[in-house]
Amino acid sequence: MNHGLVDIDANSEKFVFSEVMLQDIAPAEYDNYFLAKCYFDVREYDRAAYMVRNAESAVPRFLYLYATYMGLEKRRLDSTTDQSNLNDSGHVKDLADLLATLKPSIQGRLDGYSMYLYGVVLKAVDLTQVAQEVLMQSIRSAPMLWGSYVELAPLIKEKEKLQNIHLGGHWMKHFFVAHTYIEMYLNDEGIKAYEDLQTAGFGKCVYVTSQMAFGVSQQK
């Protein structure tokens, strides 16, 4: 409905709207953003990307980039009948083309969320070393973005590297370390890390408890 009323002057005394000001979304982009978000939620990624293709503020711009990526992935899966062809050369080329599109879009807008998406695409085309650096930069910029930690974890292959990784001083790093220990099948270290998190105040956290249970199950 808001998008349908985009031409109405909301500043007119005749029309009084109470809007919740959302950080990093320009008021002029509210309507297109919310419509794009609705499209995204129902997996209409191409339509979502189209609605915010000209956005300048941070949140709609990220939605454009992420919807573009998800649209590519959805088309790939929808057009693939043979699971063995999911990673064929055509898909790699599509990802490389997307990377070429994302790179100039991200330059000068290096917020943590854009860096996360950049890292995901780099990882998908097997540029793992660059992806690792980009994801670490994303974490330092947006330390609460758990997706960056999840994408980074499989790239850490050695315990010593995990212990010496520089991600800043945010407490989310402790969750990442515990998660990565479990991913590396270092279950004793992972369980101990989660026990420390419980002691630190996360005793009622269901995620911590479930991860500890998963670590115990891997020991059997």
Side-chain angles (χ1 to χ4, degrees):
M1 181 180 292
N2 284 347
H3 186 265
L5 299 174
V6 67
D7 294 327
I8 301 298
D9 182 9
N11 294 320
S12 170
E13 293 182 359
K14 187 177 179 180
F15 302 98
V16 179
F17 295 93
S18 60
E19 296 182 350
V20 177
M21 300 300 292
L22 298 179
Q23 186 178 8
D24 295 326
I25 305 176
E29 296 174 353
Y30 279 177
D31 296 336
N32 282 351
Y33 168 74
F34 287 122
L35 181 57
K37 182 65 166 58
C38 290
Y39 280 136
F40 187 92
D41 289 342
V42 295
R43 301 182 65 194
E44 292 285 350
Y45 302 122
D46 291 336
R47 290 184 179 182
Y50 180 82
M51 291 307 305
V52 286
R53 67 194 184 283
N54 296 320
E56 294 294 333
S57 52
V59 173
R61 187 64 184 171
F62 173 75
L63 180 59
Y64 164 72
L65 295 171
Y66 195 48
T68 300
Y69 168 72
M70 292 299 295
L72 173 62
E73 288 294 287
K74 183 174 184 289
R75 288 194 298 276
R76 175 178 67 88
L77 293 173
D78 289 346
S79 63
T80 301
T81 56
D82 184 354
Q83 292 293 312
S84 65
N85 292 330
L86 284 176
N87 294 313
D88 63 13
S89 59
H91 173 55
V92 174
K93 182 181 182 301
D94 287 340
L95 286 174
D97 291 342
L98 177 60
L99 186 62
T101 301
L102 288 170
K103 188 172 182 179
S105 298
I106 291 175
Q107 293 298 326
R109 308 181 188 196
L110 300 179
D111 60 90
Y113 287 81
S114 295
M115 294 302 294
Y116 156 73
L117 179 58
Y118 196 18
V120 168
V121 180
L122 287 167
K123 184 178 172 183
V125 295
D126 292 328
L127 296 174
T128 54
Q129 186 60 42
V130 182
Q132 180 178 314
E133 295 300 323
V134 169
L135 290 168
M136 289 171 61
Q137 185 174 344
S138 169
I139 290 169
R140 288 191 288 266
S141 178
M144 291 295 290
L145 180 55
W146 181 242
S148 294
Y149 295 97
V150 172
E151 293 292 336
L152 177 61
L155 303 180
I156 307 299
K157 306 294 186 182
E158 301 170 357
K159 179 179 179 180
E160 182 179 357
K161 185 174 183 179
L162 175 62
Q163 292 174 333
N164 295 321
I165 195 168
H166 298 291
L167 299 177
H170 199 276
W171 53 265
M172 279 289 288
K173 178 184 176 181
H174 299 291
F175 278 89
F176 167 71
V177 170
H179 170 83
T180 308
Y181 274 141
I182 298 296
E183 288 286 304
M184 297 168 67
Y185 295 97
L186 297 174
N187 298 300
D188 290 337
E189 291 87 341
I191 292 170
K192 176 61 168 60
Y194 281 121
E195 287 175 346
D196 291 342
L197 284 168
Q198 286 184 323
T199 302
F202 292 95
K204 295 183 179 180
C205 179
V206 175
Y207 169 77
V208 170
T209 303
S210 64
Q211 284 293 98
M212 291 177 67
F214 182 65
V216 171
S217 70
Q218 289 192 145
Q219 290 178 321
K220 297 179 180 179

